Amino acid sequence: MSKIIQDSMYGQVIALDPNETLIATFRADLPTYWKSHAIMALIAGVVAGVALAYGGNPAPWVGPVAAVLAIGLRAAYLKSEVLAEEWRLTNRRLLGPGGRIAPLSSLKLARPFLGAVQLVMAGGDKHLIKYQADAAATVAAIMAAKAGTQ
C-alpha cells in the first residue's frame, strides 16, 4: 500500500514559548477513524442504491458496492496522513498540524462534532480536531485550559 508523504508544513513543529507548558496532545484515534468511514460508506451505499433503483437501473446493488469500495480505498489511502496529525494543547494556545495556531484567548467555542472537536475562534475561524475517541473529554481539557488563562 502506498503511503502519503507529508509536506514540509506537517513536519514543522511549532516551538513552545519560554513560559508555555504542554498540557495535552490530541491525536486521531484509529478505531474512531475506521468507524467514521464505515458510517460514511453505509450512508453513501444506501443513497447510491436508492438513487439507482429510483432511476430504473436493473442492477441497483452496484451503487452500494461501489460506495463501500470507494470510501474504503479512500480511507486506506489517507490513513497515514490523518494519523500523523497532532494537536498540542498548552496553557496559552492550541498548536495544530500545518502550522495552525489557535490562541486560547481567542477561542469562542469548542464542541463535539461528529466524532471530532470543532474549535470556533472569535474572529470566525474554525478548526477541526478529527477522529477523537472521546470528543467530550477533549473539549473538557481545552475548556479547562482556557479557564486557566483568564
Side-chain angles (χ1 to χ4, degrees):
M1 175 174 309
S2 63
K3 183 175 180 175
I4 295 174
I5 299 171
Q6 298 173 354
D7 63 18
S8 59
M9 287 199 91
Y10 277 105
Q12 177 186 19
V13 176
I14 299 168
L16 299 181
D17 291 339
N19 58 349
E20 194 171 23
T21 57
L22 183 65
I23 297 171
T25 302
F26 307 114
R27 292 183 182 90
D29 178 59
L30 185 59
T32 304
Y33 177 77
W34 285 117
K35 178 183 172 187
S36 174
H37 281 81
I39 291 169
M40 282 192 296
L42 178 67
I43 292 169
V46 169
V47 169
V50 168
L52 289 175
Y54 180 75
N57 190 305
W61 60 268
V62 172
V65 170
V68 168
L69 285 173
I71 291 174
L73 287 172
R74 177 192 178 277
Y77 183 73
L78 293 176
K79 183 180 83 166
S80 62
E81 180 179 341
V82 170
L83 294 179
E85 290 185 359
E86 174 181 281
W87 283 84
R88 295 181 298 151
L89 174 64
T90 72
N91 58 327
R92 294 188 23 225
R93 56 194 178 158
L94 278 154
L95 308 171
R100 289 181 227 144
I101 299 174
L104 293 177
S105 60
S106 299
L107 181 64
K108 181 178 170 185
L109 176 69
R111 64 179 167 208
F113 182 74
L114 302 174
V117 173
Q118 183 183 40
L119 305 172
V120 181
M121 308 308 287
D125 294 342
K126 294 179 182 169
H127 303 282
L128 202 58
I129 303 174
K130 300 183 227 173
Y131 308 111
Q132 295 298 292
D134 188 353
T138 302
V139 168
I142 292 168
M143 296 312 289
K146 178 177 172 52
T149 62
Q150 297 176 353

